[in-house]
Amino acid sequence: MKPYHQTTAYTRQGMAGGFMDWANQPWPFKRYPDAPPQPLGEPRLPEASFWPSLLAWPPAPDAQAPPLDPAGLAGLLALAAGLTAQAHGGTYLRSPASAGALYPTELYLVASGLGWLADGLWHYAPEANAPRLLRPGNLAGAAAKVLGGRPRGLSFLLGALLWRSIWKYRTRAWRYCLLDGGHLLACLELALAACGLEQHPCLAPATSGGELLGLTPEREALVAGVGAGETVSEAGPEPPAWQPPEEEPLSPREQSDPTVAEAAALGLGERPGPEPDWPGEPAPVGAARLHPRPPEDGPALGRVMLARRSRRNFIPQGLNAAQVALLLAASLPMEGPLGATVLLGPGGDLPAGAHRYYPGDQALALVETGDRRAAAARACLDQMWVGQAALSLVLWADPARLDAAAGERGYARAMLAAGRAGQRLYLAATALGLGCCGVGAFYDAELAAAAALPSGAWPLYLVAAGPVKGGAPV
Ligand SMILES: Cc1cc2nc3c(=O)[nH]c(=O)nc-3n(C[C@H](O)[C@H](O)[C@H](O)COP(=O)(O)O)c2cc1C
């Protein structure tokens, strides 16, 4: 497996202290002067309830949802990637969390045979909560070639505008683009299920997706997609060569990074990759079984998704076993490319220490006793609030396992899965009235040691959660 993750590891010695060129800051919204957004009207939020939606793997379509119409699509898009708040500095915040609030992920949809939306490739404009038509025509067959599965009425594709992230994170940007893509993917999957749509996610799309979307590969990388809705019988002809509508630059001087572009290309292949088998390890004897039992009168999914925010004002209070059980069951499926280690502080039902989580058995096995959170906080570039969080979920990968199951495409899969898990942990924490915040910035070797990860494991992402000042269930 190519060493992108190792070569972008932060070390205390290797932190050059890059500066931020504010005059060249990338604009967070794509601008197409000749392709204005087409309003869909007031969004209608789906009514699916939160805990059943979050605890079903894969997300199950809500049988009560009305057929999708313009208002339903507006609600779906708002939950998947819409604006939800404005920060003090004026930055618009969105449904998915995003490293540095830079929002590199762009959302595209290919519509076919809906009747109320023209067939073609659309780009989602979050600032208008509306799509803009980039390319008319029936492209359902072309989208299915990119994502696998049968041609569908609605296919979603996620692009990463690399410069938005490179501007701040330089060569490490690809890590953040994948984690951010996973966050948005989680929102999209939940929104699709809540709208009653069948879905077929693809975390290893085909290279031809770049051509379908008209992307310049070193500028914007296709990361993932989801085929959704009914299958369509008319797949459309092979699309001819195409020139996308003119787009304004993101900033005065957009820059690319060859290491990032090379890493991005490794997630693609000539054909879409089917989901590999990820046989899970059984929990060892003596592991503590968790029993996730959701509250009966939980909130609506849409309400929680719109209310989610990063909150770091943790208070010294532990979690009970029921809370830990729900947070972990909501975050991780029974099988997948990730390893998961949970750092718990004192004051809760479970002992302080580093625990390995076995999602297949929903069980925790203690690896190291004692509070490891201060060491984890130091490893997270001395972000000391991490040490106050009752729980930190450290997601990691065994590179040999990724390689064996998915070759070079295993890395992107694992990072997307980590972002997806992170967004779900945020949502479960929000529903329980807890705070949550992702951390992508860490000294890799220090975090691996602080979390007592298995030898050779790559730490991918840390997500901290726990009681916060002023926390209340949504
Ligand atoms: C991949 C990723 C990495 C992040 N890393 C950090 C971090 O190291 N420190 C931090 O304080 N927040 C971090 N965040 C949180 C973002 O700053 C936050 O999501 C963003 O400001 C938007 O705010 P919101 O989450 O309230 O919508 C991270 C978020 C993501 C998705």
Side-chain angles (χ1 to χ4, degrees):
M1 178 157 297
K2 286 260 165 57
Y4 172 78
H5 200 74
Q6 295 116 300
T7 53
T8 55
Y10 284 153
T11 59
R12 284 192 190 262
Q13 303 71 35
M15 298 295 284
F19 87 111
M20 310 264 276
D21 182 358
W22 293 102
N24 202 29
Q25 186 181 11
W27 189 247
F29 304 113
K30 273 197 164 196
R31 292 172 293 195
Y32 294 94
D34 302 325
Q38 295 188 22
L40 292 168
E42 272 306 298
R44 183 184 66 248
L45 292 182
E47 289 177 5
S49 59
F50 180 77
W51 287 110
S53 302
L54 232 70
L55 297 179
W57 287 101
D62 179 9
Q64 314 295 321
L68 199 69
D69 59 7
L73 179 62
L76 191 162
L77 291 168
L79 294 186
L83 308 185
T84 51
Q86 202 170 6
H88 290 310
T91 305
Y92 283 100
L93 305 179
R94 308 190 189 185
S95 172
S98 169
L102 298 174
Y103 303 105
T105 317
E106 295 289 336
L107 183 61
Y108 302 85
L109 45 150
V110 171
S112 174
L114 295 180
W116 44 267
L117 190 70
D119 283 4
L121 169 68
W122 297 76
H123 168 258
Y124 173 57
E127 69 279 25
N129 193 46
R132 50 165 63 92
L133 187 59
L134 299 182
R135 179 179 192 182
N138 185 357
L139 302 166
K145 278 195 187 142
V146 177
L147 301 178
R150 289 201 288 275
R152 304 267 189 162
L154 210 43
S155 295
F156 292 84
L157 295 122
L158 277 57
L161 258 175
L162 304 172
W163 166 235
R164 285 220 187 100
S165 189
I166 291 172
W167 173 73
K168 180 171 181 185
Y169 298 116
R170 316 287 165 95
T171 305
R172 200 167 155 112
W174 183 236
R175 292 187 180 208
Y176 291 98
C177 287
L178 289 171
L179 292 172
D180 265 41
H183 274 266
L184 194 148
L185 187 65
C187 292
L188 175 62
E189 290 170 337
L190 291 167
L192 286 167
C195 289
L197 301 176
E198 293 281 348
Q199 55 187 298
H200 171 90
C202 175
L203 277 64
T207 319
S208 60
E211 292 139 40
L212 175 65
L213 303 181
L215 308 181
T216 309
E218 61 275 16
R219 179 174 187 264
E220 187 171 354
L222 176 67
V223 292
V226 185
E230 313 258 314
T231 55
V232 292
S233 47
E234 283 294 317
E238 191 70 29
W242 172 68
Q243 203 50 39
E246 194 196 326
E247 196 195 323
E248 286 178 24
L250 295 175
S251 57
R253 292 174 312 284
E254 281 193 26
Q255 288 156 32
S256 56
D257 180 307
T259 309
V260 169
E262 188 198 353
L266 294 173
L268 304 171
E270 209 176 305
R271 291 171 199 283
E275 188 63 34
D277 277 338
W278 301 107
E281 268 180 69
V285 177
R289 302 266 164 175
L290 302 170
H291 301 284
R293 282 202 195 88
E296 268 171 26
D297 55 348
L301 175 73
R303 229 175 105 210
V304 179
M305 290 178 78
L306 296 181
R308 183 213 61 80
R309 284 274 76 79
S310 290
R311 301 182 72 184
R312 306 166 182 85
N313 51 342
F314 296 107
I315 52 174
Q317 196 178 307
L319 294 172
N320 60 43
Q323 290 170 314
V324 173
L326 281 174
L327 292 173
L328 296 177
S331 303
L332 288 156
M334 308 286 258
E335 286 182 2
L338 299 174
T341 294
V342 181
L343 306 182
L344 293 175
D349 286 353
L350 297 155
H355 303 250
R356 173 98 184 258
Y357 178 57
Y358 293 86
D361 290 323
Q362 297 187 315
L364 281 176
L366 192 60
V367 181
E368 292 271 357
T369 46
D371 192 353
R372 330 255 321 163
R373 297 174 307 156
R378 286 193 296 276
C380 291
L381 269 51
D382 299 302
Q383 300 187 74
M384 296 319 286
W385 53 265
V386 174
Q388 305 299 316
L391 175 152
S392 278
L393 176 61
V394 182
L395 298 163
W396 49 268
D398 168 354
R401 182 167 179 256
L402 297 185
D403 207 7
E408 287 294 347
R409 299 170 97 177
Y411 178 66
R413 280 184 177 281
M415 290 293 275
L416 287 163
R420 179 199 258 159
Q423 183 70 21
R424 286 169 149 271
L425 180 54
Y426 261 105
L427 293 172
T430 307
L432 293 172
L434 304 170
C436 187
C437 189
V439 179
F442 43 77
Y443 304 114
D444 293 52
E446 266 187 49
L447 181 59
L453 300 191
S455 162
W458 291 348
L460 306 180
Y461 193 24
L462 178 147
V463 191
V468 279
K469 208 168 158 203
V474 167

